[in-house]
């Protein structure tokens, strides 16, 4: 794999997931290192208004805890992209199934697709559902 998401029941300082960019794109890896992207929940009150420095510390701690990497990174960049990773409420899938059933009964000609309905999926899933 090239990364993972952290379950909502786990307590990881608002970390949502980690992606190993250099696994997906080897040309982005340094000569003796790796490139990673960590995702944090910026909408959560515990991370709202966090400074770049506090996010750097949280990311470095997460890499140490999750991967056992203790070395200081040679470079850290922080970019805040609010609402970049969908976080669905408990029961979202059931509500979307109910919406689909109503849509099929009352508006059978209307087709809806995209990650807002049943989560992040690939193009083949969307074609099958259409």
């Amino acid at each position: 794999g090239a990364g993972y998401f952290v379950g909502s029941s786990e307590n990881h300082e608002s970390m949502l997931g980690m992606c190993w960019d250099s696994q997906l794109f080897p040309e982005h890896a340094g000569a003796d290192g790796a490139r990673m992207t960590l995702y944090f929940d910026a909408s959560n009150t515990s991370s709202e208004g966090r400074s770049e420095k506090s996010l750097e510390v949280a990311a470095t701690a997460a890499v140490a805890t999750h991967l056992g990497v203790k070395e200081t990174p040679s470079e850290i960049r922080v970019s805040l992209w609010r609402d970049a990773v969908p976080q669905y409420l408990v029961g979202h899938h059931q509500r979307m199934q109910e919406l689909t059933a109503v849509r099929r009964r009352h508006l059978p000609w209307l087709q809806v697709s995209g990650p807002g309905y049943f989560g992040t999926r690939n193009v083949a899933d969307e074609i099958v559902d259409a």
Side-chain angles (χ1 to χ4, degrees):
Y4 60 92
F5 285 105
V6 176
S8 60
S9 64
E10 299 178 43
N11 182 13
H12 289 288
E13 293 293 321
S14 300
M15 188 175 121
L16 299 173
M18 183 184 301
C19 177
W20 304 297
D21 303 332
S22 52
Q23 177 83 12
L24 294 168
F25 306 102
E27 65 275 13
H28 291 274
D32 59 349
R35 181 175 170 179
M36 294 175 255
T37 299
L38 280 69
Y39 302 92
F40 288 87
D41 181 3
S43 66
N44 187 321
T45 56
S46 66
S47 57
E48 188 75 284
R50 288 176 96 168
S51 69
E52 287 190 11
K53 185 62 179 170
S54 71
L55 287 169
E56 288 180 13
V57 169
T60 303
V63 170
T65 301
H66 292 234
L67 303 178
V69 176
K70 306 294 183 198
E71 292 84 6
T72 302
S74 59
E75 180 181 357
I76 299 176
R77 281 190 250 169
V78 174
S79 299
L80 292 178
W81 297 331
R82 299 209 184 279
D83 304 320
V85 177
Q87 298 175 63
Y88 304 104
L89 298 174
V90 173
H92 175 80
H93 189 76
Q94 178 65 36
R95 284 189 298 279
M96 293 301 102
Q97 286 179 322
E98 292 166 3
L99 173 69
T100 298
V102 169
R103 178 195 53 81
R104 285 182 177 154
R105 274 194 313 275
H106 299 286
L107 303 167
W109 51 267
L110 178 65
Q111 295 294 321
V112 294
S113 65
Y117 297 101
F118 289 105
T120 305
R121 299 152 37 111
N122 65 38
V123 174
D125 291 328
E126 300 299 340
I127 292 170
V128 167
D129 286 348

